[in-house]
Coordinates of all heavy atoms in Angstrom, one line a residue:
M1 N 23.1 0.6 5.1 CA 21.9 1.4 5.3 C 22.0 2.0 6.7 O 22.3 1.3 7.7 CB 20.6 0.5 5.2 CG 19.4 1.2 5.5 SD 17.9 0.2 5.1 CE 17.0 0.3 6.6
S2 N 21.7 3.2 6.8 CA 21.7 3.9 8.1 C 20.3 4.1 8.6 O 19.4 4.3 7.9 CB 22.4 5.3 8.0 OG 23.7 5.2 7.6
I3 N 20.1 4.0 9.9 CA 18.9 4.3 10.6 C 19.0 5.4 11.5 O 19.9 5.4 12.4 CB 18.3 3.0 11.3 CG1 18.1 1.9 10.3 CG2 17.1 3.4 12.0 CD1 17.7 0.6 10.9
Y4 N 18.2 6.5 11.4 CA 18.3 7.7 12.2 C 17.1 7.7 13.1 O 16.0 7.7 12.7 CB 18.3 8.9 11.3 CG 18.6 10.2 12.0 CD1 19.8 10.5 12.6 CD2 17.6 11.1 12.1 CE1 20.0 11.7 13.2 CE2 17.8 12.4 12.7 CZ 19.0 12.6 13.3 OH 19.2 13.8 13.9
L5 N 17.3 7.7 14.4 CA 16.2 7.5 15.4 C 15.9 8.8 16.3 O 15.4 8.7 17.3 CB 16.4 6.3 16.3 CG 16.5 5.0 15.5 CD1 16.8 3.9 16.5 CD2 15.2 4.7 14.8
D6 N 16.4 9.9 15.8 CA 16.1 11.2 16.6 C 14.7 11.7 16.3 O 14.6 12.4 15.3 CB 17.2 12.2 16.3 CG 17.0 13.4 17.2 OD1 16.0 13.6 17.9 OD2 17.9 14.3 17.1
Y7 N 13.7 11.4 17.1 CA 12.4 11.8 16.8 C 12.1 13.3 17.0 O 11.0 13.7 16.7 CB 11.4 11.0 17.6 CG 11.4 9.5 17.3 CD1 11.8 8.6 18.2 CD2 11.0 9.1 16.0 CE1 11.8 7.2 17.9 CE2 11.0 7.7 15.7 CZ 11.4 6.8 16.6 OH 11.4 5.5 16.3
N8 N 13.1 14.0 17.5 CA 12.9 15.4 17.7 C 13.5 16.2 16.5 O 13.7 17.4 16.6 CB 13.6 15.8 19.0 CG 12.8 15.3 20.2 OD1 11.6 15.4 20.2 ND2 13.5 14.8 21.2
A9 N 13.9 15.6 15.5 CA 14.5 16.3 14.3 C 13.9 15.8 13.0 O 13.1 14.8 13.0 CB 16.0 16.0 14.3
T10 N 14.2 16.5 11.9 CA 13.8 16.0 10.6 C 14.7 14.9 10.3 O 15.8 14.7 10.8 CB 13.8 17.1 9.6 OG1 15.2 17.6 9.5 CG2 12.9 18.2 9.9
T11 N 14.2 14.0 9.4 CA 15.0 12.9 9.0 C 15.0 12.8 7.4 O 14.1 13.3 6.8 CB 14.5 11.6 9.5 OG1 13.1 11.4 9.1 CG2 14.5 11.5 11.0
P12 N 16.0 12.2 6.9 CA 16.0 12.0 5.4 C 14.9 11.1 5.0 O 14.5 10.2 5.7 CB 17.4 11.3 5.2 CG 18.2 11.5 6.4 CD 17.2 11.6 7.5
V13 N 14.2 11.4 3.9 CA 13.1 10.7 3.4 C 13.4 10.3 1.9 O 13.8 11.1 1.1 CB 11.8 11.6 3.4 CG1 10.6 10.8 2.9 CG2 11.5 12.0 4.9
D14 N 13.1 9.0 1.6 CA 13.3 8.5 0.3 C 12.4 9.4 -0.6 O 11.2 9.7 -0.3 CB 12.8 7.1 0.2 CG 13.0 6.4 -1.1 OD1 12.2 6.8 -2.0 OD2 14.0 5.7 -1.3
S15 N 12.8 9.8 -1.8 CA 12.1 10.7 -2.7 C 10.8 10.1 -3.1 O 9.8 10.8 -3.3 CB 12.9 11.0 -3.9 OG 13.2 9.9 -4.7
R16 N 10.7 8.7 -3.2 CA 9.4 8.1 -3.6 C 8.4 8.3 -2.4 O 7.2 8.5 -2.7 CB 9.6 6.6 -3.8 CG 10.5 6.4 -5.1 CD 10.9 4.9 -5.2 NE 11.8 4.7 -4.0 CZ 12.4 3.5 -3.8 NH1 12.2 2.5 -4.6 NH2 13.2 3.4 -2.8
V17 N 8.8 8.2 -1.2 CA 8.0 8.4 -0.1 C 7.5 9.8 0.0 O 6.3 10.1 0.2 CB 8.7 8.0 1.3 CG1 7.8 8.4 2.5 CG2 9.0 6.5 1.3
L18 N 8.4 10.8 -0.2 CA 8.1 12.2 -0.2 C 7.1 12.5 -1.3 O 6.1 13.2 -1.1 CB 9.3 13.0 -0.3 CG 9.1 14.5 -0.2 CD1 8.5 14.9 1.1 CD2 10.5 15.2 -0.4
D19 N 7.3 12.0 -2.5 CA 6.3 12.2 -3.6 C 4.9 11.7 -3.2 O 4.0 12.4 -3.5 CB 6.8 11.5 -4.9 CG 8.1 12.2 -5.4 OD1 8.4 13.3 -5.1 OD2 8.7 11.5 -6.3
T20 N 4.9 10.6 -2.6 CA 3.6 10.0 -2.2 C 2.9 10.9 -1.1 O 1.7 11.2 -1.2 CB 3.7 8.6 -1.7 OG1 4.2 7.8 -2.8 CG2 2.4 8.0 -1.2
M21 N 3.7 11.3 -0.1 CA 3.2 12.2 0.9 C 2.7 13.5 0.4 O 1.6 14.0 0.7 CB 4.3 12.5 1.9 CG 4.7 11.3 2.8 SD 6.2 11.6 3.8 CE 5.6 12.9 4.8
I22 N 3.4 14.1 -0.6 CA 3.0 15.4 -1.2 C 1.7 15.2 -1.9 O 0.7 16.0 -1.8 CB 4.1 16.0 -2.1 CG1 5.3 16.4 -1.2 CG2 3.5 17.1 -2.9 CD1 6.5 16.8 -2.0
D23 N 1.6 14.1 -2.6 CA 0.3 13.8 -3.4 C -0.8 13.6 -2.4 O -1.9 14.2 -2.6 CB 0.5 12.5 -4.2 CG -0.8 12.2 -4.9 OD1 -1.3 13.0 -5.8 OD2 -1.4 11.1 -4.7
V24 N -0.6 12.9 -1.3 CA -1.7 12.7 -0.3 C -2.1 14.1 0.3 O -3.3 14.4 0.5 CB -1.3 11.7 0.8 CG1 -2.3 11.7 1.9 CG2 -1.2 10.3 0.1
Y25 N -1.1 14.8 0.7 CA -1.4 16.1 1.3 C -2.1 17.1 0.4 O -3.0 17.8 0.8 CB -0.1 16.8 1.8 CG 0.5 16.2 3.0 CD1 1.9 16.0 3.1 CD2 -0.2 15.9 4.1 CE1 2.5 15.5 4.2 CE2 0.4 15.4 5.3 CZ 1.7 15.2 5.3 OH 2.3 14.6 6.4
R26 N -1.8 17.0 -0.9 CA -2.5 17.9 -1.8 C -3.9 17.4 -2.2 O -4.8 18.2 -2.5 CB -1.6 18.0 -3.1 CG -0.4 18.9 -2.9 CD 0.3 19.1 -4.2 NE 1.4 20.0 -4.1 CZ 2.5 20.0 -4.8 NH1 2.6 19.1 -5.8 NH2 3.5 20.8 -4.6
N27 N -4.0 16.1 -2.3 CA -5.2 15.6 -3.0 C -6.2 14.7 -2.1 O -7.2 14.4 -2.5 CB -4.8 14.7 -4.2 CG -4.1 15.5 -5.2 OD1 -4.5 16.6 -5.6 ND2 -2.9 15.0 -5.6
N28 N -5.7 14.4 -0.9 CA -6.5 13.5 0.0 C -6.6 14.0 1.4 O -6.1 13.4 2.3 CB -6.0 12.1 0.0 CG -6.0 11.5 -1.4 OD1 -5.0 11.5 -2.1 ND2 -7.2 11.0 -1.8
P29 N -7.2 15.2 1.6 CA -7.3 15.7 3.0 C -8.2 14.7 3.8 O -9.2 14.2 3.2 CB -7.9 17.1 2.9 CG -8.7 17.0 1.6 CD -7.9 16.1 0.7
G30 N -7.9 14.5 5.0 CA -8.8 13.7 5.8 C -8.1 13.1 7.0 O -6.9 12.9 7.0
N31 N -8.9 12.7 8.0 CA -8.4 12.0 9.2 C -8.8 10.6 9.1 O -10.0 10.3 9.1 CB -9.0 12.8 10.4 CG -8.6 12.1 11.7 OD1 -8.1 11.0 11.8 ND2 -8.8 12.9 12.8
A32 N -7.9 9.7 9.1 CA -8.2 8.3 9.0 C -9.0 7.7 10.2 O -9.6 6.7 10.1 CB -6.9 7.5 8.9
D33 N -9.1 8.5 11.3 CA -9.9 8.1 12.4 C -11.3 8.7 12.3 O -12.1 8.4 13.2 CB -9.2 8.4 13.7 CG -8.0 7.5 14.0 OD1 -8.1 6.4 13.6 OD2 -7.1 8.0 14.6
S34 N -11.6 9.5 11.4 CA -12.9 10.1 11.2 C -13.6 9.4 10.0 O -13.4 9.7 8.9 CB -12.8 11.6 10.9 OG -12.3 12.3 11.9
R35 N -14.4 8.4 10.4 CA -15.0 7.6 9.3 C -16.5 7.8 9.1 O -17.2 7.0 8.5 CB -14.8 6.1 9.7 CG -13.3 5.8 9.8 CD -13.1 4.3 10.1 NE -11.6 4.2 10.3 CZ -11.1 3.4 11.2 NH1 -11.9 2.7 12.0 NH2 -9.8 3.4 11.3
T36 N -16.9 9.0 9.4 CA -18.3 9.4 9.2 C -18.5 10.1 7.9 O -19.6 10.6 7.6 CB -18.9 10.2 10.3 OG1 -18.1 11.4 10.5 CG2 -18.9 9.4 11.6
H37 N -17.4 10.3 7.1 CA -17.5 11.0 5.8 C -16.4 10.4 4.9 O -15.5 9.6 5.3 CB -17.2 12.5 6.0 CG -16.1 12.8 6.9 ND1 -14.8 12.7 6.4 CD2 -16.0 13.2 8.2 CE1 -13.9 13.0 7.4 NE2 -14.7 13.3 8.5
D38 N -16.6 10.7 3.6 CA -15.7 10.1 2.6 C -14.2 10.5 2.8 O -13.3 9.7 2.5 CB -16.1 10.5 1.2 CG -17.4 9.9 0.8 OD1 -17.8 8.8 1.4 OD2 -18.1 10.4 -0.2
F39 N -14.0 11.7 3.3 CA -12.6 12.1 3.5 C -11.9 11.2 4.4 O -10.7 10.8 4.2 CB -12.5 13.6 4.0 CG -13.0 14.6 3.0 CD1 -14.1 15.3 3.2 CD2 -12.2 14.9 1.8 CE1 -14.6 16.3 2.3 CE2 -12.7 15.8 0.9 CZ -13.8 16.5 1.2
G40 N -12.5 10.9 5.5 CA -12.0 10.0 6.5 C -11.8 8.6 6.0 O -10.8 7.9 6.3
E41 N -12.8 8.1 5.2 CA -12.7 6.7 4.7 C -11.5 6.6 3.7 O -10.8 5.7 3.7 CB -14.0 6.3 4.0 CG -15.0 5.8 4.9 CD -14.5 4.5 5.6 OE1 -14.0 3.6 4.9 OE2 -14.7 4.3 6.8
D42 N -11.4 7.7 2.8 CA -10.3 7.7 1.9 C -9.0 7.7 2.6 O -8.0 7.0 2.2 CB -10.4 8.9 1.0 CG -11.6 8.8 0.0 OD1 -12.2 7.7 -0.2 OD2 -12.0 9.8 -0.6
A43 N -8.9 8.5 3.6 CA -7.6 8.6 4.4 C -7.3 7.2 5.1 O -6.2 6.8 5.1 CB -7.7 9.7 5.5
R44 N -8.3 6.6 5.6 CA -8.1 5.2 6.2 C -7.6 4.2 5.2 O -6.7 3.5 5.5 CB -9.5 4.7 6.8 CG -9.3 3.4 7.6 CD -10.6 2.8 7.9 NE -11.4 2.5 6.8 CZ -11.2 1.4 6.0 NH1 -10.2 0.6 6.2 NH2 -12.0 1.2 4.9
K45 N -8.1 4.3 4.0 CA -7.7 3.3 2.9 C -6.2 3.6 2.6 O -5.4 2.7 2.4 CB -8.6 3.5 1.7 CG -9.9 2.9 1.9 CD -10.8 3.2 0.7 CE -12.3 2.8 1.0 NZ -13.2 3.2 -0.1
I46 N -5.8 4.9 2.6 CA -4.4 5.2 2.3 C -3.5 4.7 3.4 O -2.5 4.1 3.1 CB -4.3 6.7 2.1 CG1 -5.0 7.2 0.8 CG2 -2.8 7.1 2.1 CD1 -5.1 8.6 0.7
V47 N -3.9 4.9 4.6 CA -3.1 4.4 5.8 C -3.0 2.9 5.8 O -1.9 2.3 6.0 CB -3.7 4.9 7.1 CG1 -3.0 4.2 8.3 CG2 -3.5 6.4 7.2
E48 N -4.1 2.2 5.5 CA -4.1 0.7 5.5 C -3.2 0.2 4.4 O -2.5 -0.8 4.5 CB -5.5 0.2 5.4 CG -6.4 0.4 6.6 CD -5.7 -0.2 7.9 OE1 -5.2 -1.4 7.8 OE2 -5.6 0.5 8.9
N49 N -3.2 0.9 3.2 CA -2.4 0.5 2.1 C -0.9 0.7 2.5 O -0.1 -0.2 2.2 CB -2.7 1.3 0.9 CG -1.8 0.8 -0.3 OD1 -1.8 -0.3 -0.6 ND2 -1.2 1.8 -0.9
A50 N -0.6 1.8 3.2 CA 0.8 2.0 3.7 C 1.2 0.9 4.7 O 2.3 0.4 4.6 CB 0.9 3.4 4.3
R51 N 0.3 0.6 5.6 CA 0.6 -0.5 6.5 C 0.9 -1.8 5.8 O 1.9 -2.5 6.2 CB -0.5 -0.7 7.5 CG -0.7 0.4 8.5 CD -1.9 0.2 9.5 NE -1.6 -1.0 10.3 CZ -2.4 -1.9 10.6 NH1 -3.6 -1.9 10.2 NH2 -2.1 -2.9 11.4
K52 N 0.1 -2.1 4.8 CA 0.4 -3.4 4.1 C 1.7 -3.3 3.3 O 2.5 -4.3 3.3 CB -0.7 -3.6 3.0 CG -0.6 -4.9 2.3 CD -1.7 -5.1 1.3 CE -1.6 -6.5 0.6 NZ -0.3 -7.0 0.3
Q53 N 2.1 -2.2 2.8 CA 3.3 -2.0 2.1 C 4.5 -2.2 3.0 O 5.5 -2.9 2.7 CB 3.4 -0.7 1.4 CG 2.5 -0.6 0.2 CD 2.5 0.8 -0.4 OE1 2.6 1.8 0.3 NE2 2.4 0.9 -1.8
V54 N 4.4 -1.7 4.2 CA 5.5 -1.8 5.2 C 5.6 -3.3 5.7 O 6.7 -3.8 5.8 CB 5.2 -0.9 6.4 CG1 6.2 -1.2 7.6 CG2 5.4 0.6 6.0
A55 N 4.4 -3.9 5.9 CA 4.4 -5.3 6.3 C 5.0 -6.2 5.3 O 5.8 -7.1 5.6 CB 3.0 -5.7 6.6
D56 N 4.7 -5.9 4.0 CA 5.2 -6.7 2.9 C 6.8 -6.6 2.8 O 7.5 -7.5 2.7 CB 4.6 -6.4 1.6 CG 3.2 -6.8 1.5 OD1 2.7 -7.7 2.3 OD2 2.5 -6.3 0.6
L57 N 7.2 -5.3 3.0 CA 8.6 -5.0 2.9 C 9.4 -5.7 4.0 O 10.5 -6.3 3.8 CB 8.9 -3.5 3.0 CG 10.3 -3.0 3.0 CD1 10.9 -3.3 1.7 CD2 10.4 -1.6 3.4
L58 N 8.8 -5.8 5.2 CA 9.5 -6.4 6.4 C 9.2 -7.9 6.6 O 9.6 -8.5 7.5 CB 9.1 -5.6 7.7 CG 9.5 -4.2 7.7 CD1 9.0 -3.5 8.9 CD2 11.0 -4.0 7.6
N59 N 8.3 -8.4 5.7 CA 7.8 -9.8 5.7 C 7.2 -10.1 7.1 O 7.6 -11.1 7.7 CB 9.0 -10.7 5.4 CG 8.5 -12.1 5.1 OD1 7.4 -12.3 4.6 ND2 9.3 -13.1 5.4
I60 N 6.3 -9.2 7.5 CA 5.6 -9.4 8.8 C 4.1 -9.3 8.5 O 3.7 -8.9 7.4 CB 6.0 -8.4 9.9 CG1 5.8 -7.0 9.4 CG2 7.5 -8.6 10.2 CD1 6.1 -5.9 10.5
N61 N 3.3 -9.6 9.5 CA 1.9 -9.5 9.4 C 1.5 -8.0 9.5 O 2.0 -7.3 10.4 CB 1.2 -10.3 10.5 CG -0.3 -10.4 10.3 OD1 -1.0 -9.4 10.3 ND2 -0.8 -11.6 10.2
V62 N 0.5 -7.6 8.8 CA 0.1 -6.2 8.8 C -0.4 -5.7 10.2 O -0.3 -4.6 10.5 CB -1.0 -5.9 7.7 CG1 -2.3 -6.6 8.1 CG2 -1.2 -4.4 7.4
S63 N -0.9 -6.7 11.0 CA -1.3 -6.3 12.3 C -0.1 -5.9 13.2 O -0.3 -5.4 14.3 CB -2.1 -7.5 13.0 OG -1.2 -8.6 13.2
E64 N 1.1 -6.2 12.8 CA 2.3 -5.8 13.6 C 2.8 -4.5 13.2 O 3.8 -4.0 13.8 CB 3.4 -6.9 13.3 CG 3.0 -8.3 13.8 CD 4.1 -9.3 13.4 OE1 4.1 -9.8 12.3 OE2 5.0 -9.5 14.3
V65 N 2.2 -3.8 12.3 CA 2.6 -2.5 11.8 C 1.8 -1.4 12.5 O 0.5 -1.4 12.3 CB 2.6 -2.3 10.3 CG1 3.0 -0.9 9.8 CG2 3.4 -3.4 9.6
F66 N 2.4 -0.5 13.2 CA 1.7 0.7 13.8 C 2.3 1.9 13.2 O 3.5 2.2 13.3 CB 1.9 0.7 15.3 CG 1.3 -0.5 16.0 CD1 2.1 -1.7 16.2 CD2 0.0 -0.5 16.5 CE1 1.6 -2.8 16.8 CE2 -0.5 -1.6 17.1 CZ 0.3 -2.8 17.2
L67 N 1.4 2.8 12.6 CA 1.9 4.0 12.1 C 1.3 5.1 13.0 O 0.1 5.3 13.1 CB 1.3 4.2 10.7 CG 1.7 3.2 9.7 CD1 1.1 3.4 8.3 CD2 3.3 3.1 9.5
L68 N 2.2 5.8 13.7 CA 1.8 6.8 14.7 C 2.2 8.2 14.2 O 3.4 8.4 13.8 CB 2.4 6.5 16.0 CG 2.1 5.1 16.6 CD1 2.9 4.8 17.8 CD2 0.6 5.0 16.9
A69 N 1.3 9.1 14.3 CA 1.6 10.5 13.8 C 2.1 11.4 14.9 O 2.6 12.5 14.6 CB 0.4 11.1 13.2
V70 N 2.1 11.0 16.1 CA 2.4 11.8 17.3 C 3.6 11.2 18.1 O 3.5 10.0 18.5 CB 1.2 12.1 18.2 CG1 1.5 13.0 19.3 CG2 0.0 12.6 17.4
Q71 N 4.6 11.9 18.3 CA 5.8 11.4 19.0 C 5.5 10.8 20.4 O 5.9 9.7 20.7 CB 6.8 12.5 19.1 CG 8.1 12.0 19.9 CD 9.0 13.1 20.2 OE1 8.8 14.2 19.9 NE2 10.1 12.8 20.9
P72 N 4.7 11.4 21.2 CA 4.5 10.8 22.6 C 3.8 9.4 22.5 O 4.2 8.6 23.2 CB 3.5 11.8 23.2 CG 3.8 13.1 22.6 CD 4.1 12.8 21.2
K73 N 2.9 9.2 21.5 CA 2.3 7.9 21.4 C 3.4 6.9 21.0 O 3.4 5.7 21.5 CB 1.2 7.9 20.3 CG 0.0 8.6 20.8 CD -1.1 8.6 19.7 CE -2.3 9.3 20.2 NZ -3.4 9.2 19.1
A74 N 4.3 7.3 20.1 CA 5.4 6.3 19.7 C 6.3 6.0 20.9 O 6.6 4.8 21.0 CB 6.2 7.0 18.6
I75 N 6.6 7.0 21.7 CA 7.5 6.7 22.8 C 6.8 5.8 23.8 O 7.4 4.9 24.4 CB 7.9 8.0 23.5 CG1 8.8 8.8 22.6 CG2 8.6 7.8 24.8 CD1 9.1 10.2 23.0
I76 N 5.5 6.0 24.1 CA 4.7 5.2 25.0 C 4.7 3.8 24.5 O 4.8 2.8 25.2 CB 3.3 5.8 25.3 CG1 3.5 7.1 26.1 CG2 2.4 4.8 26.0 CD1 2.2 7.9 26.2
L77 N 4.4 3.6 23.2 CA 4.3 2.3 22.6 C 5.6 1.6 22.8 O 5.7 0.4 23.1 CB 3.9 2.4 21.2 CG 3.7 1.1 20.4 CD1 2.5 0.3 21.1 CD2 3.3 1.3 19.0
Q78 N 6.8 2.2 22.5 CA 8.1 1.6 22.7 C 8.3 1.2 24.1 O 8.8 0.2 24.4 CB 9.2 2.6 22.2 CG 9.2 2.8 20.7 CD 10.1 4.0 20.3 OE1 10.6 4.7 21.2 NE2 10.5 4.0 19.1
F79 N 7.9 2.1 25.0 CA 8.1 1.8 26.5 C 7.4 0.6 26.9 O 7.9 -0.3 27.5 CB 7.7 3.0 27.3 CG 7.6 2.7 28.8 CD1 8.8 2.7 29.5 CD2 6.4 2.4 29.4 CE1 8.8 2.4 30.9 CE2 6.4 2.2 30.8 CZ 7.6 2.1 31.5
W80 N 6.1 0.5 26.5 CA 5.3 -0.7 26.9 C 5.8 -2.0 26.2 O 5.7 -3.1 26.7 CB 3.8 -0.5 26.6 CG 3.3 0.4 27.7 CD1 2.8 1.7 27.5 CD2 3.2 0.1 29.1 NE1 2.4 2.2 28.7 CE2 2.6 1.3 29.7 CE3 3.6 -0.9 29.9 CZ2 2.4 1.3 31.1 CZ3 3.4 -0.9 31.3 CH2 2.8 0.3 31.8
G81 N 6.3 -1.8 25.0 CA 7.0 -3.0 24.3 C 8.1 -3.5 25.1 O 8.3 -4.7 25.3
C82 N 9.0 -2.6 25.6 CA 10.1 -3.0 26.5 C 9.6 -3.6 27.8 O 10.2 -4.6 28.2 CB 11.0 -1.7 26.8 SG 11.9 -1.1 25.3
V83 N 8.6 -3.0 28.4 CA 8.1 -3.6 29.7 C 7.6 -5.0 29.4 O 7.9 -5.9 30.2 CB 6.9 -2.7 30.2 CG1 6.2 -3.4 31.3 CG2 7.5 -1.3 30.7
N84 N 6.8 -5.2 28.4 CA 6.3 -6.5 28.1 C 7.4 -7.5 27.8 O 7.3 -8.7 28.2 CB 5.2 -6.5 27.0 CG 4.0 -5.8 27.5 OD1 3.6 -5.9 28.6 ND2 3.3 -5.1 26.6
M85 N 8.4 -7.1 27.1 CA 9.5 -8.0 26.8 C 10.2 -8.4 28.1 O 10.6 -9.6 28.3 CB 10.5 -7.3 25.8 CG 11.6 -8.2 25.4 SD 11.1 -9.8 24.6 CE 10.6 -9.1 23.1
Q86 N 10.4 -7.5 29.0 CA 11.1 -7.8 30.3 C 10.2 -8.8 31.1 O 10.7 -9.7 31.7 CB 11.3 -6.5 31.1 CG 12.4 -5.6 30.4 CD 13.7 -6.3 30.2 OE1 14.2 -7.1 31.1 NE2 14.4 -6.0 29.1
K87 N 8.9 -8.6 31.0 CA 8.0 -9.5 31.8 C 8.1 -10.9 31.2 O 8.1 -11.9 31.9 CB 6.5 -9.0 31.6 CG 6.2 -7.8 32.5 CD 4.7 -7.5 32.4 CE 4.3 -6.3 33.2 NZ 2.9 -5.9 33.0
L88 N 8.2 -11.0 29.9 CA 8.4 -12.3 29.3 C 9.7 -13.0 29.7 O 9.7 -14.2 29.8 CB 8.3 -12.2 27.7 CG 7.0 -11.9 27.1 CD1 7.1 -11.6 25.6 CD2 6.0 -13.0 27.3
R89 N 10.7 -12.2 30.0 CA 12.0 -12.7 30.4 C 12.0 -12.9 31.9 O 13.1 -13.3 32.4 CB 13.1 -11.8 30.0 CG 13.2 -11.7 28.5 CD 14.3 -10.7 28.1 NE 14.5 -10.7 26.6 CZ 15.1 -9.8 26.0 NH1 15.7 -8.8 26.7 NH2 15.3 -9.8 24.7
G90 N 10.9 -12.6 32.6 CA 10.9 -12.8 34.1 C 11.6 -11.7 34.8 O 12.1 -11.9 35.9
R91 N 11.8 -10.5 34.2 CA 12.5 -9.4 34.8 C 11.5 -8.3 35.0 O 10.4 -8.3 34.5 CB 13.6 -8.9 33.9 CG 14.6 -9.9 33.6 CD 15.6 -9.4 32.6 NE 16.6 -10.4 32.2 CZ 17.3 -10.3 31.2 NH1 17.2 -9.3 30.4 NH2 18.2 -11.3 30.9
S92 N 11.9 -7.3 35.8 CA 11.0 -6.2 36.1 C 11.8 -4.9 35.7 O 13.1 -4.9 35.7 CB 10.6 -6.1 37.5 OG 11.7 -6.0 38.4
I93 N 11.1 -3.8 35.5 CA 11.7 -2.5 35.2 C 11.6 -1.6 36.4 O 10.5 -1.5 36.9 CB 11.1 -1.9 34.0 CG1 11.5 -2.7 32.7 CG2 11.6 -0.5 33.8 CD1 10.9 -2.2 31.4

């Protein structure tokens, strides 16, 4: 299995994932962070289900799964993860 980590490019997507994404884009518009209407609630349920599926696949707790739609947030989260790991090891960056 190959892992491609260039966040500035398109990446190969499993056809099952793409089919699900297309279905969501076509039939479930909404922002999962906007919970004052049904569109947002439906989107939140879809995201939570995806998090659970990823957690089950990786055999981890769902609270350990972060799905980020914006690259800068992903980079910042990775950076702080590295910082915290170094602190645990008694090192500094």
Side-chain angles (χ1 to χ4, degrees):
M1 178 171 127
S2 298
I3 298 176
Y4 186 68
L5 298 175
D6 183 352
Y7 294 116
N8 290 317
T10 58
T11 58
V13 177
D14 184 286
S15 61
R16 295 167 294 181
V17 173
L18 184 58
D19 291 343
T20 299
M21 290 172 62
I22 290 170
D23 179 61
V24 169
Y25 286 135
R26 285 186 177 151
N27 301 310
N28 299 96
N31 179 343
D33 288 327
S34 296
R35 298 186 185 140
T36 58
H37 47 76
D38 289 340
F39 293 111
E41 276 298 316
D42 291 344
R44 184 190 62 77
K45 289 175 187 172
I46 290 168
V47 170
E48 289 305 315
N49 183 55
R51 288 179 67 223
K52 183 178 181 333
Q53 289 175 323
V54 170
D56 290 346
L57 178 68
L58 299 175
N59 196 29
I60 61 175
N61 190 300
V62 71
S63 66
E64 297 175 274
V65 177
F66 296 89
L67 302 177
L68 304 170
V70 183
Q71 177 190 357
K73 287 183 181 179
I75 291 170
I76 290 168
L77 184 61
Q78 291 171 345
F79 172 76
W80 284 115
C82 291
V83 168
N84 288 328
M85 183 58 71
Q86 292 302 322
K87 284 182 182 178
L88 288 173
R89 294 178 178 165
R91 300 177 184 159
S92 61
I93 292 181

